[in-house]
Structures are given as C-alpha cells and as structure tokens.
C-alpha cells in the first residue's frame, strides 16, 4: 500500500490548465461543476422551492439571476432587499440574453446595450427600448413568475 503526500494527478492537471488558461479544462476541474452559478445565462434555472418558484435567497441584493419558465428566459433582479422585479431577459435589440445587473446596470453581452438594473429602462443602445417587465410576486420566500 502506498501513501500520497504530494499533489494528486488531478490537482497537477488542473493547475496546469489554469496556467494555460484553458477554460474547458478549468470547468472540468471545478469542484462544483454543474452547480447553478447565479448570473450565468448559460446555466440551468436554479432549484425551485416547494411552491414552484425561485428562492428569494438565490437572487443577490443588487444583482439578479436568470431563470426559465417554459420557453421564456427571465431575469429576476433584487435592487433592494425584498424588492424583486422580473424582466424578459431577451435584449430588445437582437434577442441575446442580457446579463444580471452589476453596479446597477444590466448589460447585453452582444452589442453592449445597457439597461437600468432596477427598472429595465434603456440607458444606452443600440437597443431602441428598455427591457419588458414580467410580473412577479414573492410568496413565502419564493419568487413566482
Ligand atoms: S443583441 Fe443586445 S445589444 Fe445587440
């Protein structure tokens, strides 16, 4: 029986991948690969509560998270604690899914239109209008669309 005192093979390979900035390799090395990452549009919707909504705790105050309902992609934002709004996450310019707000601004990663993080109003084009609000309500700590 042998004992291992140094880094294992996975640790060495992950370190090498990090050094070479290989994003695909890094994803495979992540200990939480596959776990929901708020604010990452390509991730699946977060777990739902028993009431069928998104747990309020999954929406960062001052930020937001992307969820899906059927075919619709929705950006849930919480500008201040306990105040939640929903917006159609499709950019009005060409339909790219916008990113959750950072520093009060929602940005489209495609052509960088910007929208107000609390109201969805247009701040900067090329989009010609703001985000479309989607009615949401908070019931027992669960955000329902
Ligand atoms: S698709 Fe969003 S700015 Fe063009």
């Amino acid at each position: 029986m042998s004992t291992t005192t140094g880094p294992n093979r996975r640790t060495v390979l992950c370190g090498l991948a990090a050094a070479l900035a290989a994003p695909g390799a890094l994803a495979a090395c992540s200990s939480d690969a596959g776990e929901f990452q708020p604010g990452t549009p390509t991730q699946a919707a977060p777990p739902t509560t028993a009431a069928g909504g998104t747990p309020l705790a999954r929406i960062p105050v001052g930020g937001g998270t992307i969820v899906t309902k059927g075919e619709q992609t929705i950006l849930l934002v919480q500008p201040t604690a306990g105040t939640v709004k929903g917006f159609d996450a499709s950019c009005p310019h060409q339909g790219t899914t916008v990113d959750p707000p950072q520093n009060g601004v929602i940005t489209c990663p495609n052509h960088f239109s910007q929208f107000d993080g609390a109201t969805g109003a247009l701040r900067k084009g090329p989009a010609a209008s703001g985000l479309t609000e989607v009615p949401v309500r908070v019931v027992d700590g669960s955000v329902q669309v």
Side-chain angles (χ1 to χ4, degrees):
M1 181 185 214
S2 67
T3 58
T4 304
T5 56
N8 63 28
R9 181 178 171 175
R10 184 173 186 227
T11 301
V12 171
L13 290 175
C14 289
L16 181 60
L20 297 175
L26 286 176
C29 296
S30 173
S31 62
D32 60 354
E35 182 177 305
F36 175 73
Q37 298 294 313
T40 306
T42 56
Q43 295 292 323
T48 58
T49 65
T54 300
L56 182 60
R58 299 296 296 248
I59 306 169
V61 175
T65 192
I66 300 287
V67 299
T68 58
K69 182 176 183 184
E71 299 291 316
Q72 191 173 24
T73 303
I74 300 163
L75 171 61
L76 298 175
V77 299
Q78 188 173 191
T80 58
T83 302
V84 178
K85 285 196 168 187
F87 301 105
D88 182 339
S90 297
C91 178
H93 182 228
Q94 291 182 353
T96 300
T97 299
V98 297
D99 289 333
Q102 291 188 347
N103 300 318
V105 179
I106 298 166
T107 302
C108 175
N110 200 357
H111 307 107
F112 308 107
S113 286
Q114 294 183 338
F115 310 91
D116 186 276
T119 67
L122 180 66
R123 282 189 169 191
K124 179 182 152 203
S129 62
L131 300 175
T132 301
E133 189 164 349
V134 175
V136 297
R137 63 182 179 165
V138 180
V139 178
D140 296 331
S142 172
V143 181
Q144 299 176 342
V145 178

